[in-house]
Amino acid sequence: MFTDLHRDAIVADTHNDLLMAVSARPPDRWASFFRERWLPQLRAGGVDVQVLPVFIDDQYRPEGALRQTLRMIECAHVIAEGNPDEVGICLDGRQIDETVALGKIALVIALESMPGVDASVELIPTLHRLGVRVASIAHWGRTPLADGSGQDATGSRLTSEGVAALAEMERLGMVFDISHLSASGVAHVLELATRPVIATHSSARSLRDHHRNLTDDQLRAVAANGGVVCVNFLAAFLDEKPEGYTIERLADHILHIARVAGIDHVGLGPDFIREVMIDLTPPCCETSVSGLDALASVPGLDGPSGMPLVTEELVRRGLGEDEIRKILGGNVMRLFRAEMGRPSPAEPQAAP
């Protein structure tokens, strides 16, 4: 039965912006708000590993970007400290495995773009010391490190600081995230990368022609690099028309990436942003992102509690148990175990 498979498998969600909603509360409410609002959803969805991106809204940029970055990282730690029997911040694959084995949810801190760093690459080790283990270097537009996918027409590759950021992340054992990066930037990263990368929340461009999705050539290149592409559930990235906002269409993207990149290179990066947007946006204001309706969602998949529906659909499509386990979280865990927190070659290896 699919419910047994879902409950038994490791389920990894590589992109949920819940930190934005939690950190908007007073600090003394961070732990309790997470426990009341988000923990039940994660438990209902069977989520074992939750990547927590730190995304900085425009209102904090540029002057307050670093301060808000630090505030959101602190929020993640307060969530863990205030719910020690339920979740734990993890710095490497071993800690993730140990945390999940205890029945807790493993939390991994990520950076979505680096507006708090900009060209100051020397700050990346500081953020690593604070627990950041996954990071991207651009969002929709231009940064001092690279162009986002909304700037594809520029044909711009990584800046010299962006190249340095990639090298520094590889040295530290911080997983490089190509989601949101421009096409030329993705190509540049894959030329330079010596370690596998991740796309934390990107779908298939051949099924939905949007710059936020990855082309078949990019999918094959990520697979050749040893990386993993985690499918975005955001409805507008799955289909152009509302009638295509379905679990079946989501499965189409998952299966397409599995066919093109290989079953070992696909995961899940839902990008459950509907509740966050409703929570943070006054009714008077826009809830669109670059012309896309950020509140539109696949029925039943507007939050983490709907994750078992993905397993149900994959079973219905005829995938085997081992294949489904890889998609739900096995592939992401393989990458995290191998790459996250990996010591620098300059550092001594621990004795066996």
Side-chain angles (χ1 to χ4, degrees), residues 18-219:
L18 68 87
L19 274 183
M20 293 178 67
V22 179
S23 66
R25 269 66 195 177
D28 62 358
R29 281 279 289 141
W30 286 347
S32 60
F33 182 75
F34 171 83
R35 183 168 57 250
E36 295 159 8
R37 179 75 72 85
W38 287 99
L39 183 61
Q41 297 185 58
L42 297 174
R43 289 300 191 189
V47 176
D48 299 295
V49 182
Q50 181 62 71
V51 177
L52 297 175
V54 171
F55 176 75
I56 308 303
D57 264 331
D58 288 345
Q59 62 180 311
Y60 299 106
R61 304 183 192 188
E63 290 84 0
L66 180 58
R67 181 171 62 250
Q68 183 64 3
T69 295
L70 296 176
R71 189 172 184 273
M72 292 180 73
I73 291 172
E74 177 64 14
C75 178
H77 284 281
V78 169
I79 285 171
E81 291 164 2
N83 298 281
D85 296 330
E86 298 287 352
V87 300
I89 300 289
C90 295
L91 305 180
D92 55 35
R94 178 185 57 81
Q95 288 186 3
I96 294 175
D97 285 330
E98 291 174 351
T99 299
V100 172
L102 291 172
K104 301 194 293 185
I105 298 171
L107 303 179
V108 176
I109 303 175
L111 299 179
E112 187 170 17
S113 186
M114 293 187 184
V117 172
D118 282 346
S120 299
V121 177
E122 67 274 13
L123 293 179
I124 293 176
T126 304
L127 296 170
H128 180 268
R129 289 186 180 96
L130 297 178
V132 175
R133 289 298 182 269
V134 180
S136 63
I137 61 173
H139 196 248
W140 290 85
R142 173 163 290 181
T143 78
L145 303 176
D147 278 355
S149 63
Q151 298 292 325
D152 269 348
T154 67
S156 177
R157 289 153 64 87
L158 272 60
T159 65
S160 58
E161 292 83 5
V163 171
L166 170 61
E168 188 65 356
M169 288 172 62
E170 289 190 338
R171 183 186 73 81
L172 293 166
M174 190 184 292
V175 181
F176 193 98
D177 179 9
I178 63 168
S179 284
H180 278 289
L181 194 57
S182 70
S184 296
V186 171
H188 197 184
V189 167
L190 293 173
E191 284 176 22
L192 299 174
T194 64
R195 310 303 307 177
V197 302
I198 192 170
T200 57
H201 56 307
S202 296
S203 296
R205 190 156 184 174
S206 68
L207 301 186
R208 167 64 166 112
D209 187 11
H210 190 279
H211 61 77
R212 270 289 287 111
N213 293 334
L214 297 177
T215 67
D216 286 358
D217 285 345
Q218 290 172 321
L219 296 177

Side-chain angles (χ1 to χ4, degrees), residues 218-279:
Q218 290 172 321
L219 296 177
R220 283 186 281 266
V222 171
N225 159 270
V228 179
V229 175
C230 300
V231 179
N232 194 322
F233 292 16
L234 197 67
F237 293 149
L238 301 178
D239 204 279
E240 291 185 63
K241 301 177 180 179
E243 52 264 35
Y245 298 171
T246 65
I247 187 71
E248 292 82 9
R249 189 58 169 171
L250 171 61
D252 289 343
H253 281 260
I254 295 171
L255 296 177
H256 178 84
I257 294 173
R259 283 193 295 269
V260 173
I263 192 65
D264 294 323
H265 302 282
V266 58
L268 304 177
D271 200 4
F272 291 127
I273 199 170
R274 176 182 170 84
E275 181 172 341
V276 174
M277 293 286 286
I278 291 174
D279 213 18

